[in-house]
Amino acid sequence: MTPHVDFHMHTAYLKCANGTMTVPAIIQECTRLGVRRLGITDHLNTLDRLPLHELIRRDLEAATPGIDLYFGVELNYMSCDGAFAYSPEVKEQLGFQFAIGGIHSIYLEEYDLRKLIDIQHRHHLKTCQDPLVDVLVHPYWFSKGEFTRRQWPWFDSIKAVPEAYARELGQVARETGTAIEINAAANLRCGNNPPAYVDEYADYLAAVAAEGCLFSVGSDAHDIHQLAGIQSAWDMVERLGLPPERIWMPAGAPFKPATAG
């Protein structure tokens, strides 16, 4: 069953997305695409970015949507094995309803594929064990620029990840109640990857899913046209045979519920 949700997208405020990603435009496009619940989740890498999230909150408060709106945030480690710029106080101050997060860097000075994967896996488990994080974002997404600058071979096959790592991630996610993200832009529609990558990634997600954990679904859109990519994540839910009860939803009522008419 198609989940019709998108819980990972960015706005123009934080400059990670382009100028097309205004909150009103996002709501309009997601409505057109058949999304019934959406969550804004822009980056909070450092606390000085909090005022920009206040602007997102303002726009959500002003909306009269035909779909349910949620106010979330995406977290990034501030250093290898470091912390997130997030706390119960920050969550309460801004009124964030949920947090997605994970590793966004390679944290490696010399190329070593096994060490590269080990660092990612360690941070995946750490993220799942953080009680303030609801969703682990885009497992094994990498910035192509980090590889290009170092002239390293590109990470073009998820088969390099041991199945035991996938199984362990699924186990820890199940035990902690953390959802594993099915990410359209970063993992399923990444133009840097060969055509076979999506099939390999589906096998990886199936190994994670075999442990009984929850999954979240997100477009990770940075441009208004990328929102349509959510369909590939919905298709992956169908491919994995995930029932509705395995699809994560934010706890509590929407920040702004759908309005009639």
Side-chain angles (χ1 to χ4, degrees), residues 70 97 250-254:
Y70 294 83
Q97 294 179 286

Side-chain angles (χ1 to χ4, degrees), residues 47-200:
L47 292 177
D48 63 324
R49 303 287 87 184
L50 283 175
L52 298 177
H53 288 270
E54 292 175 353
L55 298 178
I56 297 171
R57 180 187 175 96
R58 179 202 64 189
D59 287 355
L60 290 173
E61 289 172 340
T64 53
I67 54 180
D68 290 338
L69 305 181
Y70 294 83
F71 183 35
V73 63
E74 182 175 7
L75 309 175
N76 179 17
Y77 286 103
M78 293 186 287
S79 62
C80 186
D81 297 309
F84 293 129
Y86 198 60
S87 65
E89 292 74 23
V90 169
K91 180 179 181 179
E92 181 178 1
Q93 176 186 342
L94 269 290
F96 291 121
Q97 294 179 286
F98 68 95
I100 67 176
I103 183 171
H104 289 72
S105 300
I106 55 176
Y107 297 127
L108 195 63
E109 294 303 320
E110 296 183 359
Y111 182 76
D112 184 316
L113 181 58
R114 184 54 187 262
K115 287 183 179 178
L116 181 77
I117 292 170
D118 285 350
I119 290 170
Q120 297 293 310
H121 181 61
R122 186 168 76 241
H123 283 79
H124 293 161
L125 300 183
K126 180 179 178 178
T127 301
C128 290
Q129 291 160 346
D130 188 326
L132 290 176
V133 180
D134 301 283
V135 176
L136 169 68
V137 295
H138 47 56
Y140 297 103
W141 167 85
F142 296 97
S143 169
K144 187 64 159 41
E146 286 195 276
F147 284 75
T148 301
R149 285 192 299 273
R150 293 169 170 82
Q151 298 183 320
W152 289 357
W154 175 235
F155 185 85
D156 61 358
S157 177
I158 197 72
K159 289 184 177 180
V161 177
E163 182 177 345
Y165 282 13
R167 295 282 186 167
E168 184 179 19
L169 177 60
Q171 292 165 10
V172 172
R174 184 192 68 238
E175 292 166 1
T176 61
T178 309
I180 304 301
E181 185 179 62
I182 301 174
N183 185 301
N187 299 117
L188 303 181
R189 297 172 61 85
C190 179
N192 296 317
N193 294 328
Y197 190 88
V198 172
D199 290 334
E200 293 178 5

